[in-house]
């Protein structure tokens, strides 16, 4: 192999593989699958090294292992593969939609297109003072139809009093999650998938586990108000995002929705 005669396509090939590995790493980071992923990468690199050094016996053994192991990987990484495909499809659609909006083929009023983050965070803050539990999911690009259908359909403009009244302890709608798309509450009492991450601290209850679960399977953002402590949590990509003030949280969510 001539290492000097590199084509532009070879460089592009390396860059694309690096991006692919990076996004796969982001999907499995923080889960039990991360150790499996690292092990696979190491075995693959060793296999390529043995091929480069013409170590035929070891190369053939590793090659057979990798060939058979691909079927096992589909089973092991079933959830991660599903999320990866959802991310690719929904992100492309979201970008096409934004592009059309910029060309003014799709016209949305500011009220419909810009989510009122301040009203949502303010409602969470007020509910925290009264130790009212709440779980709010904000859609980005991935479709949330599979969880919306599990709850009660709704079509209400986002505002602070409405959110507080829905999660009021005596309200029939307070259980489950609220789904927000653009600037409208589209579902309440929605049932979310729960994370299976065993590393999650025991102090977090079912609301937090559901928030992490939906953010693992989709690119949605989740806000949780703890019924025990009144504290507000912001969860994105299966991870808790640290913030100091409500104003800082508003800016973080705005950037994530942009």
């Amino acid at each position: 192999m001539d290492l000097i005669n590199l084509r532009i396509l070879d460089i592009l090939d390396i860059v694309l593989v690096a991006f692919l590995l990076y996004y796969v790493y982001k999907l499995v980071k923080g889960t039990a699958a991360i150790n499996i992923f690292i092990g696979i990468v190491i075995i693959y690199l060793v296999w390529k090294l043995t091929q480069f050094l013409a170590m035929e016996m070891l190369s053939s053994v590793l090659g057979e292992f990798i060939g058979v192991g691909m079927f096992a990987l589909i089973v092991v990484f079933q959830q991660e593969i599903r999320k990866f495909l959802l991310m690719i499809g929904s992100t492309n659609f979201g970008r096409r939609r934004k592009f059309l909006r910029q060309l003014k083929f799709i016209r949305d009023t500011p009220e419909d297109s810009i989510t009122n983050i301040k009203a949502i965070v303010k409602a969470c803050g007020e509910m925290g003072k009264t130790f009212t539990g709440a779980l709010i999911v904000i859609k980005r690009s991935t479709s949330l139809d599979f969880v919306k259908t599990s709850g009660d359909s709704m079509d209400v403009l986002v505002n602070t009093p409405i959110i507080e009244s829905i999660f009021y302890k005596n309200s029939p709608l307070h259980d489950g999650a609220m789904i927000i798309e653009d600037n409208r509450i589209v579902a309440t009492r929605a049932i979310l998938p729960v994370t299976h991450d065993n590393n999650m601290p025991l102090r977090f209850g079912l609301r937090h586990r559901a928030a992490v679960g939906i953010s693992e399977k989709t690119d949605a953002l989740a806000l949780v108000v703890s019924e025990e402590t009144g504290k507000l949590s912001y969860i994105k990509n299966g991870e808790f995002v640290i913030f100091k003030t409500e104003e800082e949280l508003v800016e973080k969510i705005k950037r994530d929705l942009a």
Side-chain angles (χ1 to χ4, degrees):
M1 178 182 290
D2 190 356
L3 296 177
I4 299 178
N5 295 327
L6 285 176
R7 301 175 303 163
I8 295 178
L9 288 178
D10 294 330
I11 299 175
L12 180 62
D13 187 24
I14 295 172
V15 172
L16 290 177
V17 171
F19 271 111
L20 178 62
L21 291 176
Y22 171 72
Y23 278 107
V24 172
Y25 173 76
K26 283 184 65 177
L27 287 176
V28 300
K29 184 177 67 174
T31 67
I34 183 63
N35 295 327
I36 301 175
F37 172 73
I38 294 174
I40 292 170
V41 171
I42 292 174
I43 292 175
Y44 181 80
L45 292 177
V46 172
W47 176 46
K48 284 300 181 182
L49 179 62
T50 56
Q51 284 185 326
F52 178 75
L53 298 175
M55 301 170 66
E56 297 182 1
M57 182 175 294
L58 184 56
S59 176
S60 62
V61 171
L62 292 175
E64 291 294 331
F65 174 80
I66 290 176
V68 176
M70 289 301 296
F71 296 100
L73 289 180
I74 296 176
V75 178
V76 173
F77 289 104
Q78 182 179 3
Q79 292 185 355
E80 284 74 16
I81 292 173
R82 179 179 180 275
K83 182 179 177 182
F84 181 68
L85 295 176
L86 278 172
M87 182 180 67
I88 292 176
S90 60
T91 300
N92 288 338
F93 177 78
R95 286 177 179 174
R96 288 195 297 268
R97 188 178 177 188
K98 288 179 181 178
F99 178 71
L100 292 175
R101 282 177 177 171
Q102 290 176 355
L103 294 178
K104 300 186 183 301
F105 289 129
I106 300 177
R107 294 178 181 269
D108 288 334
T109 62
E111 187 179 59
D112 290 332
S113 61
I114 301 176
T115 304
N116 192 347
I117 304 301
K118 288 185 178 180
I120 299 172
V121 173
K122 181 181 178 182
C124 290
E126 294 298 322
M127 289 186 291
K129 295 176 183 177
T130 58
F131 298 92
T132 302
L135 174 53
I136 300 173
V137 178
I138 305 174
K139 176 183 177 291
R140 286 205 283 181
S141 58
T142 306
S143 173
L144 297 176
D145 289 346
F146 72 103
V147 292
K148 284 163 55 179
T149 53
S150 67
D152 297 327
S153 179
M154 184 175 286
D155 186 16
V156 179
L157 195 67
V158 168
N159 64 76
T160 300
I162 286 291
I163 296 175
E164 291 185 58
S165 64
I166 287 175
F167 286 110
Y168 178 65
K169 295 178 181 180
N170 294 330
S171 168
L173 302 177
H174 78 280
D175 281 333
M178 172 189 291
I179 310 298
I180 294 177
E181 294 184 359
D182 293 327
N183 195 34
R184 307 195 74 83
I185 302 169
V186 296
T188 56
R189 295 207 307 171
I191 300 173
L192 305 182
V194 179
T195 183
H196 298 289
D197 185 5
N198 295 325
N199 296 323
M200 191 169 174
L202 296 176
R203 67 177 181 274
F204 294 119
L206 188 59
R207 282 193 182 90
H208 291 86
R209 299 192 72 87
V212 173
I214 191 64
S215 66
E216 286 176 341
K217 295 184 181 299
T218 70
D219 65 350
L221 309 175
L223 290 167
V224 182
V225 180
S226 172
E227 193 171 358
E228 288 74 27
T229 65
K231 291 184 178 179
L232 173 61
S233 300
Y234 175 43
I235 301 167
K236 179 182 72 170
N237 296 328
E239 298 179 347
F240 287 80
V241 179
I242 305 300
F243 60 93
K244 295 181 180 179
T245 63
E246 291 186 2
E247 290 75 16
E248 182 183 351
L249 176 59
V250 169
E251 293 304 317
K252 284 180 179 290
I253 299 176
K254 283 183 178 179
R255 287 196 298 268
D256 292 333
L257 289 178

